[in-house]
Amino acid sequence: MVLGALFVIAYGLGRLGKLVKLPAIPIYMLVGLLASPHTGFFPLNFDSGDIELIAIFGLILLLFNLGLEFDQDEFFGNAGRLLISGGTYIVLNMGMGFLFGELVGWGTREALIIAGMVGTSSSAIITKMLIELGRLANNETPAILGATVIGDVFIAIYLAIVSVVLSGKTEFWPVVLQLSIAAVFLVVMFAVARWGARLFSALFRTRDDELFTILFFGLALLFAGLGELIGVTDAIGAFLIGLVLGATRFSGKIERISIPLRDVFAAFFFLNFGLALNIAEFGSVAWLVIIAVVLTVVLNVISGELIALFNRLDARDGINIAAVLMNRGEFTLILATLSLAAGLNQKLEPFAGLYVLIMAILGPVLTANSERIGAALIRPRRRPSKKGRNPVLDEEIGLVDAVTSGQQSDEGDPQDEPSREAVDRVVEEAMRQAGADDSRKQN
């Protein structure tokens, strides 16, 4: 009953959030925060441990769908251009994020996690915002989607590195071995997705939707467990099997069925994260979160303009790119969950929670208003007029041309033919006005 009440409350707040185009992530977190035993605002006593297992399913399906939606054709067809655009975004945001994390002083492992939190966008929120705002046909949208494709590839590599870092191994050869296992796992799964998807397609030849659903959900859990077993986290295992199934001819059906499942289980994940938060701990990280938010906005504006420059877009398109890529969400919370399981600094949890609450609201608001912001900050370029031409003269000469062409098109009526004197008077008047304009400019 308690869980049902929480979801009904989440539905009501979600309806209100839709009015201002807010994503569901901060809504679910807010409901969990209100129901948290640390808060005392909610009249029901609720233990977050009751839904931890379901929350893990939510994490797995979030990463599974991320891999499922990965566009291999776009990546392999335009790898060079995408690497320049997406790589610029990742290097700038992750690099400065890691530097910020080091300055925080919690430790190098914590700095690596903070870099991922502030340096990676939410592809789910980005795609949803582009659809809801009707911007799929905009000039800057291919550059945005290209950057998210590279971001998804980077997440796979980043998670593999993070899994080794969080394992606590410090000796050289065990670390090299773990990184090698992760690299082999990545390469094999990418190769299967590229050239062996037909083998997996054969598994899904059934008209029974129930068996079809059981199969892909089972594969997601199986590979998540395999990833955990070989030491690269369950998240990356789920992502990679999603990548493989996304390359099969049944990807559309899998996505159609899996999205409602993802949304329900992901709600448990965000709700459970909110339940673990303590508002009293926000004060200890508030100033760090404010710095992180300002840093995110500044870095996204810079990288957005650079991406626009690389793709031969104008500054207004750069503002749109910056606003859309600024959206943060589920991956930040996933990193916080992984870091807490590894025993890192406890302040990462309230830091991630407050950061996502702010960015999941600020990002969509800026995205929805980015075109107006760009119009207010950047004036459109004016085409330069041809040197030596006067607009008054051009207008009068155009009138003469129109009169003359009218004469040529009506040869059957010589009485309508303009006299030579009339044409000369028009030209003289135009020249006189042009000279008068030039004299006023000189004075």
Side-chain angles (χ1 to χ4, degrees):
M1 185 184 75
V2 175
L3 189 59
L6 292 179
F7 271 81
V8 170
I9 294 172
Y11 166 79
L13 294 178
R15 289 290 299 269
L16 295 176
K18 288 293 183 182
L19 298 177
V20 290
K21 300 187 181 300
L22 285 183
I25 293 175
I27 302 297
Y28 298 145
M29 287 180 60
L30 182 61
V31 172
L33 184 62
L34 293 176
S36 171
H38 304 292
T39 306
F41 293 154
F42 203 79
L44 299 176
N45 185 16
F46 192 80
D47 184 7
S48 63
D50 294 341
I51 61 170
E52 284 183 356
L53 179 60
I54 306 176
I56 292 175
F57 291 160
L59 183 151
I60 290 172
L61 285 174
L62 281 169
L63 271 297
F64 173 77
N65 276 269
L66 184 63
L68 191 66
E69 296 168 359
F70 180 78
D71 192 341
Q72 292 192 56
D73 294 333
E74 174 70 13
F75 175 72
F76 290 105
N78 302 288
R81 178 176 57 83
L82 295 181
L83 285 172
I84 293 175
S85 298
T88 299
Y89 184 86
I90 291 170
V91 169
L92 182 60
N93 285 266
M94 286 291 295
M96 294 301 296
F98 182 78
L99 179 60
F100 168 70
E102 286 284 16
L103 294 175
V104 169
W106 293 343
T108 301
R109 293 196 298 172
E110 285 81 357
L112 183 62
I113 296 297
I114 290 175
M117 288 179 177
V118 304
T120 51
S121 303
S122 170
S123 58
I125 296 178
I126 287 173
T127 304
K128 197 169 184 180
M129 290 298 296
L130 290 174
I131 294 173
E132 290 181 354
L133 295 174
R135 295 188 184 180
L136 290 178
N138 282 19
N139 294 332
E140 72 277 1
T141 298
I144 294 172
L145 296 178
T148 59
V149 168
I150 296 299
D152 292 344
V153 175
F154 173 76
I155 284 175
I157 300 172
Y158 173 78
L159 281 175
I161 297 173
V162 165
S163 66
V164 177
V165 173
L166 297 184
S167 67
K169 295 178 180 178
T170 57
E171 297 180 4
F172 178 75
W173 289 113
V175 170
V176 170
L177 177 62
Q178 190 65 45
L179 284 174
S180 300
I181 292 173
V184 169
F185 189 42
L186 287 173
V187 171
V188 168
M189 295 301 287
F190 267 92
V192 171
R194 187 62 178 169
W195 295 290
R198 184 176 300 178
L199 298 175
F200 280 85
S201 294
L203 294 174
F204 287 90
R205 290 176 182 172
T206 176
R207 296 182 178 179
D208 192 317
D209 288 346
E210 180 180 351
L211 294 177
F212 187 91
T213 305
I214 290 295
L215 178 57
F216 79 72
F217 186 70
L219 286 172
L221 296 180
L222 176 64
F223 276 82
L226 179 61
E228 188 74 24
L229 183 64
I230 66 178
V232 295
T233 76
D234 50 2
I236 193 173
F239 172 84
L240 291 175
I241 188 59
L243 183 75
V244 171
L245 298 186
T248 67
R249 63 189 183 90
F250 294 99
S251 61
K253 185 177 181 180
I254 296 173
E255 186 174 0
R256 187 173 65 252
I257 298 176
S258 67
I259 286 178
L261 287 175
R262 178 203 65 188
D263 292 343
V264 171
F265 283 105
F268 281 93
F269 174 75
F270 299 128
L271 181 68
N272 185 59
F273 192 89
L275 286 167
L277 293 175
N278 186 353
I279 294 180
E281 296 178 349
F282 284 170
S284 63
V285 297
W287 66 277
L288 292 175
V289 172
I290 292 173
I291 295 174
V293 169
V294 173
L295 183 66
T296 302
V297 173
V298 172
L299 291 177
N300 274 265
V301 170
I302 295 173
S303 54
E305 292 298 335
L306 288 175
I307 292 174
L309 180 64
F310 294 149
N311 289 270
R312 298 180 180 178
L313 301 171
D314 61 27
R316 287 191 179 189
D317 295 328
I319 294 294
N320 289 336
I321 294 172
V324 174
L325 293 179
M326 203 176 298
N327 287 280
R328 301 291 188 266
E330 68 279 0
F331 190 63
T332 299
L333 302 182
I334 289 171
L335 287 176
T337 302
L338 295 176
S339 66
L340 289 176
L344 298 190
N345 195 304
Q346 296 294 317
K347 289 186 178 180
L348 282 171
E349 185 176 48
F351 175 87
L354 185 57
Y355 177 75
V356 170
L357 281 174
I358 294 175
M359 291 306 303
I361 296 173
L362 180 63
V365 170
L366 291 178
T367 301
N369 295 279
S370 63
E371 292 181 343
R372 277 178 282 186
I373 294 172
L377 296 178
I378 303 168
R379 295 181 179 180
R381 295 180 179 177
R382 295 181 178 179
R383 295 182 179 179
S385 58
K386 294 182 180 180
K387 187 176 182 180
R389 298 296 298 270
N390 184 286
V392 177
L393 181 60
D394 288 341
E395 182 179 353
E396 299 296 339
I397 292 176
L399 177 60
V400 173
D401 291 339
V403 174
T404 308
S405 61
Q407 167 201 352
Q408 294 175 351
S409 62
D410 192 9
E411 297 178 354
D413 190 0
Q415 294 180 354
D416 293 337
E417 182 178 322
S419 64
R420 181 64 182 177
E421 291 79 9
V423 173
D424 289 339
R425 284 197 301 271
V426 172
V427 173
E428 289 174 1
E429 178 65 17
M431 293 297 292
R432 186 185 64 77
Q433 291 186 16
D437 290 342
D438 291 339
S439 298
R440 283 194 297 269
K441 290 179 181 178
Q442 292 176 1
N443 294 332

